[in-house]
Amino acid sequence: MRADVEYSPVGEGLGMSECWLYVWMRRVAVIAAHVIAVGLTVLISVLSRPGTSLFSWHPVCMSIAYILCLTEGILLFSPEGTPFCFKARKGKVRLHWFIQALVILAAATGVGFMVASKNVSERPHLATWHSLLGVGTLAATVLQAACGICLLFPKLLKLSPPRLKLYHATCGLVVYLLATVTVVSAMFSDWFQATVKGVVWYAFLLLPLFPALVIMNQITNAYLPRKKITT
């Protein structure tokens, strides 16, 4: 006897999936998450004034990687729709791979600029909580990408594809939440607090949390257990 778990959207059994208000609110939330991801990336890039120093490229690259690309790569599978024209899952998976590759490329570039900036200024590496969280986030991102590769070879791991997808989605949520904490910690850096002050600073502090809530809802809705099936 082997027990498997069937996963389905939360609220299906309560009739919530058919409630127009519930569906409308979720669609509005997803659209808002897209807008925040793009808008916050643009704002941070403008505030960084790229090209003025080696460090100026670090916020640009990291915001592109974790605020924009990582968010869009997950929202791509949102049942509420995405700005991309792909409807078939195969097309979405390929685009997801491409976007996640951009995440690693942009993040690695951002780390490179930071290391170079630290070396030029002769300042110590990994001296703040933000830098430690950043290294942890980058390592988790690479591990998550490796987990995604495992989905191509499920037989080698002797695990069913649905279970592998569950593990991949769960690890992806952990990576996204870790990235959100890292982004929020950047708001407490000397550079950011000197650049953004007052009420605007609190707005920047809260903005990354909304897409995180939307993505958490998306993943838990898709993979929360509904019932067990024994075979």
Side-chain angles (χ1 to χ4, degrees), residues 28-194:
V28 170
V30 170
I31 293 173
H34 286 298
V35 173
I36 291 174
V38 175
L40 192 56
T41 301
V42 171
L43 287 173
I44 291 178
S45 298
V46 171
L47 292 173
S48 302
R49 295 185 298 170
T52 56
S53 65
L54 286 173
F55 170 80
S56 66
W57 290 104
H58 175 73
V60 175
C61 293
M62 303 312 278
S63 60
I64 290 174
Y66 288 106
I67 298 178
L68 180 61
C69 290
L70 190 61
T71 301
E72 295 299 330
I74 298 176
L75 289 179
L76 179 64
F77 296 102
S78 172
E80 279 69 43
T82 71
F84 301 101
C85 58
F86 294 101
K87 292 185 178 181
R89 182 173 178 81
K90 188 175 182 179
K92 291 183 178 181
V93 169
R94 289 177 178 176
L95 184 57
H96 176 76
W97 271 98
F98 176 74
I99 294 176
Q100 297 309 305
L102 289 180
V103 170
I104 296 177
L105 178 62
T109 304
V111 170
F113 277 114
M114 174 54 74
V115 171
S117 176
K118 292 277 190 179
N119 289 338
V120 170
S121 62
E122 297 183 348
R123 299 179 63 183
H125 297 281
L126 303 177
T128 64
W129 280 109
H130 173 67
S131 60
L132 294 173
L133 286 169
V135 171
T137 301
L138 183 59
T141 303
V142 174
L143 290 175
Q144 171 64 355
C147 182
I149 295 176
C150 292
L151 284 172
L152 301 176
F153 311 100
K155 293 183 179 180
L156 294 179
L157 299 177
K158 298 181 180 180
L159 290 172
S160 63
R163 192 167 294 276
L164 276 176
K165 290 179 181 178
L166 170 63
Y167 295 156
H168 183 58
T170 304
C171 292
L173 177 59
V174 172
V175 170
Y176 192 88
L177 294 178
L178 183 58
T180 301
V181 173
T182 305
V183 169
V184 170
S185 70
M187 310 296 182
F188 293 90
S189 65
D190 294 337
W191 166 77
F192 196 85
Q193 289 188 325

